[in-house]
Amino acid sequence: VHEKGQNALGHYYALGGGCVLKSLDDSWSASKKDSFFHWKKSELASVTPIVHVGAYLAYSAVQYHKFGFLKFTWTIEWYHMVQRGSIDAPEQILIHYTKTDGTNHIRYFDGTIELTSLTPSVTSVILRNEVDADQTGLDNAMSSLSDLIDKLRN
């Protein structure tokens, strides 16, 4: 984590990054698997097929559940696009995720993942995560970064 804190809107945020010892293609493929969409302390309810939408090369709407005394449901939309290079030879991919629907207990959830090819077998990963939710704080914003990069590495 390179930067962390709480912004003027009261959202907790974290910025960070690292490298994945995989090609950009392999790293990008990992980001499209259902297992990549799983957040700790929640369950995947549904994942739409990844499709081409407008300028975006891939799009998924993922619905989540959290069970406990009460059941919460929310949707996060994931968008992928080539920032540099071409679809056949990407050099940099931008993935944006944002909460679009569901429980009021998560008021804001948004982030980006930038994948950049450094060498044929090394991908740079830069992440930003921002959240405003009940029972969620700076530790959650930071741990999401390490969770996401770990999923790309595995």
Side-chain angles (χ1 to χ4, degrees):
V1 174
H2 303 294
E3 185 179 329
K4 60 187 177 184
Q6 191 171 15
N7 65 22
L9 298 172
H11 303 171
Y12 293 100
Y13 72 92
L15 305 167
C19 288
V20 175
L21 301 179
K22 291 182 180 179
S23 69
L24 177 60
D25 286 341
D26 289 345
S27 299
W28 192 20
S29 292
S31 75
K32 297 179 199 175
K33 294 180 180 175
D34 285 3
S35 59
F36 185 77
F37 299 124
H38 186 266
W39 295 103
K40 286 183 179 176
K41 300 182 183 177
S42 68
E43 295 181 23
L44 290 179
S46 65
V47 178
T48 63
I50 294 178
V51 296
H52 178 87
V53 176
Y56 298 101
L57 299 174
Y59 160 83
S60 296
V62 181
Q63 190 173 64
Y64 298 86
H65 291 306
K66 181 173 181 178
F67 298 103
F69 181 69
L70 300 172
K71 177 182 167 184
F72 302 108
T73 302
W74 66 96
T75 301
I76 295 178
E77 293 183 356
W78 297 74
Y79 301 90
H80 298 229
M81 64 186 300
V82 174
Q83 288 287 98
R84 196 171 67 229
S86 67
I87 185 65
D88 296 323
E91 297 170 22
Q92 185 177 61
I93 304 295
L94 180 67
I95 302 166
H96 177 240
Y97 56 90
T98 191
K99 179 205 174 231
T100 58
D101 192 32
T103 181
N104 292 331
H105 294 281
I106 302 172
R107 291 168 292 284
Y108 187 85
F109 194 7
D110 188 85
T112 56
I113 305 164
E114 180 182 283
L115 305 174
T116 305
S117 178
L118 297 180
T119 71
S121 60
V122 179
T123 300
S124 165
V125 182
I126 299 173
L127 307 110
R128 178 191 64 82
N129 189 49
E130 188 174 333
V131 64
D132 177 22
D134 294 346
Q135 300 179 7
T136 300
L138 190 54
D139 288 343
N140 302 98
M142 291 187 310
S143 68
S144 293
L145 298 185
S146 52
D147 291 346
L148 288 169
I149 203 165
D150 287 347
K151 291 180 211 177
L152 291 171
R153 287 179 173 146
N154 295 326

